[in-house]
């Protein structure tokens, strides 16, 4: 193990992504770090806070997410910018791409065909959160809007995109709507989606402190309740509610291993949870 870089900033790490061989990219606040897994050295780059496409009501200038495309380019979304930043690791330059008709992107997903699928944090017209999806082509810089609410995305083994909010929606690689299914529970903006190699879909369920699992080719759902705990509330002045409250088992990250196990990072309880769907 290696200590995480210590540079002043917001203090939380919001993006981590493998790039080309031996390249591991990490971002937080206004810092981009490249960790070389071969030499174990770290190189730092300051992320630009200036933008031509500023979102007026942004509370800060921190990074929201990062992702890497097969060509090694690092793509970054920022809280205050209706754009994407592209960082070229070869010439060490940032290029900004406008998303004025879309808004502020949040999570960035790289489709197997190379397109970027974006969850929108702040709608350009309404200012509301997670009102639509956007596709961005890194080759042509063309942008396409999909008018479906979503707080998370996943790609199934056939290359279709699955989006979740109140419903579960499937799109083909061009953004065309393929199907719509009901979810047992609406998703919150903190929930995550993961599609396994066999087509099993796993969705975290913050509202119910659990995980929802969908069998391939069906609408049958199994809900797994995660461990929760009760603790005292640090009440603000004037609070008249209960002094003890249940803490939800919020999942901060989720990945699958080669054996089909799903690993859930539960930061609230400082532990990993292994789920075998």
């Amino acid at each position: 193990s290696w200590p995480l870089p210590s540079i002043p900033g917001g203090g939380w790490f919001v993006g981590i992504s493998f790039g080309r061989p031996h390249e591991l990219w990490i971002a937080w606040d206004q810092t981009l770090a490249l960790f070389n897994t071969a030499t174990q050295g770290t190189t730092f780059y300051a992320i630009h806070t200036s933008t031509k496409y500023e979102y007026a009501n942004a509370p800060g200038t921190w990074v929201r997410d990062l992702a890497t495309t097969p060509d090694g380019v690092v793509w970054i979304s920022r809280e205050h910018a209706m754009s994407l930043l592209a960082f070229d690791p070869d010439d060490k330059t940032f290029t900004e791409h406008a998303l004025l008709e879309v808004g502020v992107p949040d999570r960035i997903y790289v489709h197997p065909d190379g397109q970027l699928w974006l969850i929108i944090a702040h709608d350009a017209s309404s200012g509301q959160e997670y009102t639509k999806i956007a596709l961005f082509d890194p080759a042509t810089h063309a942008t396409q809007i999909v008018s479906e609410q979503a707080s998370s995305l996943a790609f199934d083994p056939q290359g279709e995109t699955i989006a979740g909010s109140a419903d579960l929606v499937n799109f083909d690689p061009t953004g065309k709507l393929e199907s719509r299914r009901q979810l047992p529970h609406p998703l919150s903006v903190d929930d995550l989606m993961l599609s396994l190699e066999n087509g099993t879909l796993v969705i975290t369920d913050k509202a119910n402190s659990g995980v929802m699992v969908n069998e391939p080719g069906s609408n049958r759902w199994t809900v797994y309740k995660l461990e929760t705990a009760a603790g005292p509330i640090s009440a603000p002045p004037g609070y008249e509610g209960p002094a003890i409250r249940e803490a939800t088992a919020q999942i901060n990250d989720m990945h699958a291993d080669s054996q089909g196990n799903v690993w859930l990072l539960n930061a609230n309880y400082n532990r990993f949870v292994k789920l075998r769907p």
Side-chain angles (χ1 to χ4, degrees):
S1 64
W2 299 270
L4 287 170
S6 179
I7 287 182
W12 58 89
F13 294 83
V14 298
I16 184 167
S17 178
F18 279 103
R20 296 176 297 194
H22 306 301
E23 291 184 350
L24 179 63
W25 295 93
I26 309 170
W28 73 98
D29 210 18
Q30 293 101 26
T31 298
L32 178 65
L34 169 60
F35 178 75
N36 188 301
T37 59
T39 65
Q40 300 178 19
T42 305
T43 306
F44 301 99
Y45 304 95
I47 297 173
H48 294 181
T49 57
S50 61
T51 176
K52 302 176 184 176
Y53 315 106
E54 186 168 359
Y55 179 69
N57 299 317
T61 59
W62 53 78
V63 173
R64 295 194 69 107
D65 198 12
L66 72 81
T68 54
T69 41
D71 57 3
V73 174
V74 182
W75 296 87
I76 298 168
S77 58
R78 297 171 295 168
E79 172 67 20
H80 66 301
M82 294 185 289
S83 64
L84 282 172
L85 273 186
F87 178 74
D88 187 325
D90 292 327
D91 59 19
K92 313 296 189 297
T93 57
F94 288 93
T95 304
E96 188 173 21
H97 300 279
L99 294 173
L100 285 173
E101 73 278 22
V102 178
V104 176
D106 181 16
R107 295 170 182 162
I108 307 170
Y109 302 84
V110 182
H111 191 274
D113 68 5
Q115 284 209 99
L116 304 182
W117 286 68
L118 311 173
I119 297 294
I120 304 306
H122 305 295
D123 190 294
S125 56
S126 69
Q128 296 180 352
E129 297 184 346
Y130 306 101
T131 58
K132 56 192 173 189
I133 306 166
L135 283 69
F136 179 84
D137 189 334
T140 65
H141 307 156
T143 304
Q144 177 185 344
I145 296 174
V146 176
S147 298
E148 288 285 345
Q149 290 188 334
S151 55
S152 188
L153 293 177
F155 304 123
D156 72 8
Q158 287 73 44
E160 285 201 348
T161 300
I162 310 168
S165 183
D167 297 319
L168 198 64
V169 186
N170 283 52
F171 303 97
D172 72 7
T174 69
K176 178 184 176 182
L177 179 65
E178 293 283 297
S179 64
R180 185 185 301 275
R181 297 178 274 168
Q182 283 191 323
L183 281 164
H185 311 288
L187 303 188
S188 76
V189 295
D190 297 310
D191 287 320
L192 303 171
M193 300 178 62
L194 177 66
S195 179
L196 305 185
E197 290 184 359
N198 67 354
T200 299
L201 184 63
V202 183
I203 305 177
T204 62
D205 183 12
K206 180 184 178 183
N208 296 278
S209 301
V211 178
M212 300 182 288
V213 178
N214 179 243
E215 297 179 359
S218 75
N219 201 31
R220 177 181 173 184
W221 293 88
T222 303
V223 180
Y224 297 91
K225 180 79 173 178
L226 298 177
E227 178 185 350
T228 59
I233 290 177
S234 298
Y239 177 77
E240 297 180 352
I244 302 293
R245 187 172 180 181
E246 183 183 60
T248 59
Q250 180 177 347
I251 302 302
N252 301 80
D253 206 355
M254 176 170 60
H255 293 276
D257 62 26
S258 58
Q259 285 74 48
N261 300 305
V262 177
W263 291 86
L264 309 164
L265 174 61
N266 186 343
N268 285 1
Y269 296 100
N270 299 320
R271 68 181 65 172
F272 285 105
V273 177
K274 184 172 75 170
L275 173 68
R276 177 74 179 179

